[in-house]
Amino acid sequence: MQNQEKILFDNGTHKFIMFSFDDETHEDSYLSVNQYLIVQNNMGVLIDPGSEAIFDELSEAVTKHVALENIKYIFLSHQDPDVSGSITQWSVTTPAKFIISSLWVRFMSHYGFLDMGRIMSLPDHGAKIHFGENYIQFVPAHFLHSPGNFSLYDSLSKILFSGDIGAAIVPAHDEYKHVDNFEKHKKNLEGFHKRYMGSNKLCRAWVSHVEKLDINIIAPQHGLLFEGGDAQLFLEWLKELECGSDLLSELY
Amino acid sequence: MIDIQNFKQKSIGLSILHVDANHKFLENSRNLLQKLFDNVALSDNTTSALQILKENQFDILITDIEFADEDGIEFIQELKNFSPNIKIIVITAHDTKENLLKLISLGLFKLLEKPIHAPNLVQTLYDAIISIEEQKNAQLSHEQLEEKNSLLTFLETLCQNQEIIQLHNYYKGLSITNNALIKNVGTHHITFSTSDIQLQAIQYETKTIVTSELLNSALVCKNILKLEFNSGTVNFKDFILHKTSPILRKAVRVNVESLHSVALSINEHLFLGNISIADISVEAVKLELDALPAGVHLANNSIKIDINIQNGLENVVLNADGKYLREDENDSSYSVVFMLSYDLAQKSALVKYIAKRQMELIREFKRL
Ligand SMILES: [Fe+2]
Ligand SMILES: [Fe+2]
């Protein structure tokens, strides 16, 4: 069995956990998927829980850290199936409220939802949820790649969940999934980012926003974690990246 | 003839004080009054009676107005200062003509002459407690009226400030909730504007629950005057305030229409009546029984519930322990809600079923 769980932060009352449950294994162009869970004082915030196919495994793994009835929020960075495909299952098994960009609220019924009382829609500028002196912040990341897209920053663990930003196409790892040589890792980032991200202008807007945050780890939805200096290197790289509309001529 | 049982029911919580200089009379009275009231006090002089009245709230006073060296009228005048609502029954052998007007102005409830007949006294006491009851009801409806007025002011404020509120309906167990605004509100009508989906749910269910972050309890609207998809509004006749906030369901619940079977055992005895599932969530099931099991109360007994729901290739099989939550009586059946605890291995099929059923109901609802 693969190592499908890694505790990224734990101070006794606050935990940040990474899971790696993949729903399908394509031999080539393998896009590994990470799910995350924050447990703050026995209350859970689940991040991008993924597709229906991994629901059983993931919910079992989550239960080891927090009872399902104590999951208070489920954050969906955007509308993609690898992010939101299991909304129905989670709505059945938890009392959680779903946090998602207001752009996707009207599509919720297609995922099995008519109860808007259980949806907290995020305005474009995002929002903050405070707990004590600390907070969880939903940082705008629009068009990177989804037009209604958010990253999540946890001020206590100093972990930035970046969604599809920082996604890498890498073979499945048995060991701890983190970048150990950024220069070498670039090639795993390039293809995905050039095609999926909106434009350099949008990348810069996001970087200039998150640069102000005190970050220990950047945790993407796909691929490997960026820790310490590698997080800085990644932000520098993204700032200079030409992508999306910058490369229009390649699309037409 | 007044029935003692009936009397006792109405006198629950009421207290009575009897003041008379005649000890023999007081003693007889005590025997009778204790059969009628929970709380009986006696006194043979007005000074100690005043003390008793100052220390405790009494609902009814029986008193003579003739005492050796005290004035019964003054006594009543004085006690009125701190017990303005007490029902006063005067029993006396004294010629009262000169005092009658005074007594009436002091709010005398009834004057009886000595010697007294027990049935007369019982009837008078009964009249007094009915009068107390009526007064309380009148007070209550006055409070209710004030409450409705302040609620109306509150709703008008929500309307003026265009505060976002929530409307809640159910379709076959499925919860449907959307934001809304109050467009218009009066004493006996309220108009909301909301989404088409919610209007559709209101059209289907009629009864609508209204909540707001600013309101502790919820409003319930039951009669539609007008529902218009063009303007996106619904106009209800009247609204009432739920005293307790209604339980808005957290767990997704769906009704079960596919073929299923249920076995219910109470203390290892199989219940033999007809049972079906009204609705189910991962936490609880509502069963429909054609009769309640005789002789046992469901709350304090060991309950086993075995469920099998047909769901394509993989049936939902649940062997659960049930914990009684509540029951409702319907026209020709009973519905009983049990909390479920079962082996985790059985959960997956149930989750799949509810998720699938939820999608099915949404599709069905959208086609309405
Ligand atoms: Fe995506
Ligand atoms: Fe993704």
Side-chain angles (χ1 to χ4, degrees), chain A residues 31 33 48 78 80 82-83 145 163-164 167 192 221-222:
Chain A
L31 194 65
V33 190
D48 279 9
H78 60 291
D80 272 351
D82 62 329
V83 169
H145 64 90
D164 281 335
F192 182 88
Q221 195 216 356
H222 307 279

Side-chain angles (χ1 to χ4, degrees), chain B residues 297-338:
Chain B
H297 199 269
L298 294 164
N300 310 314
N301 286 290
S302 131
I303 309 278
K304 296 248 183 258
I305 302 170
D306 297 311
I307 289 172
N308 191 320
I309 306 173
Q310 209 171 68
N311 181 32
L313 293 172
E314 189 190 14
N315 279 13
V316 180
V317 178
L318 222 55
N319 307 104
D321 287 326
K323 192 167 171 287
Y324 171 89
L325 192 65
R326 63 185 163 80
E327 67 189 47
D328 289 308
E329 195 178 337
N330 312 326
D331 288 345
S332 57
S333 65
Y334 296 85
S335 41
V336 189
V337 180
F338 295 97

Side-chain angles (χ1 to χ4, degrees), chain A residues 52 55-56 63 68-69 88-89 91-95 109-118, chain B residues 174-178 197 249-252 282-283 347-348 351-352 354-355 358-359 362 365-366:
Chain A
E52 196 186 325
F55 170 77
D56 284 349
T63 310
L68 295 188
E69 58 262 33
T88 318
Q89 280 70 24
S91 75
V92 169
T93 48
T94 73
S109 72
H110 301 278
Y111 283 115
F113 237 93
L114 289 178
D115 187 347
M116 296 305 133
R118 286 189 62 184
Chain B
L174 188 77
S175 164
I176 301 169
T177 297
N178 272 284
I197 283 190
R249 293 173 199 168
K250 280 187 174 166
V252 170
V282 288
E283 287 171 355
K347 191 171 182 177
S348 168
V351 171
K352 277 188 195 129
I354 296 174
Q358 194 181 355
M359 276 315 293
I362 289 177
F365 174 76
K366 284 182 162 177

Side-chain angles (χ1 to χ4, degrees), chain B residues 22 78 102 124 151 194 267 285 354:
Chain B
N22 183 335
E78 185 153 359
K102 230 179 214 165
T124 303
L151 177 63
T194 187
N267 290 334
V285 66
I354 296 174

Side-chain angles (χ1 to χ4, degrees), chain B residues 49-146:
Chain B
L50 278 175
Q51 203 52 43
I52 294 171
L53 285 165
K54 272 180 195 162
E55 282 162 12
N56 306 283
Q57 268 264 282
F58 282 86
D59 302 287
I60 303 171
L61 169 74
I62 303 174
T63 184
D64 201 342
I65 46 170
E66 193 182 14
F67 297 90
D69 38 37
E70 291 169 314
D71 184 334
I73 301 287
E74 266 175 31
F75 163 60
I76 293 171
Q77 264 166 348
E78 185 153 359
L79 73 89
K80 272 282 178 180
N81 292 329
F82 47 88
S83 296
N85 296 321
I86 195 165
K87 297 277 166 226
I88 300 165
I89 298 164
V90 169
I91 303 179
T92 187
H94 191 73
D95 181 10
T96 49
K97 276 190 192 102
E98 49 175 309
N99 290 320
L100 194 56
L101 274 178
K102 230 179 214 165
L103 283 172
I104 288 171
S105 74
L106 286 170
L108 174 75
F109 182 72
K110 184 99 184 195
L111 180 75
L112 298 173
E113 276 177 35
K114 281 183 184 173
I116 186 87
H117 296 289
N120 281 352
L121 180 58
V122 173
Q123 181 65 54
T124 303
L125 290 169
Y126 186 77
D127 294 342
I129 59 176
I130 294 296
S131 158
I132 291 169
E133 191 177 85
E134 277 168 1
Q135 268 171 11
K136 276 192 185 151
N137 286 342
Q139 238 164 21
L140 209 64
S141 56
H142 183 66
E143 275 167 26
Q144 278 165 347
L145 194 71
E146 277 188 354

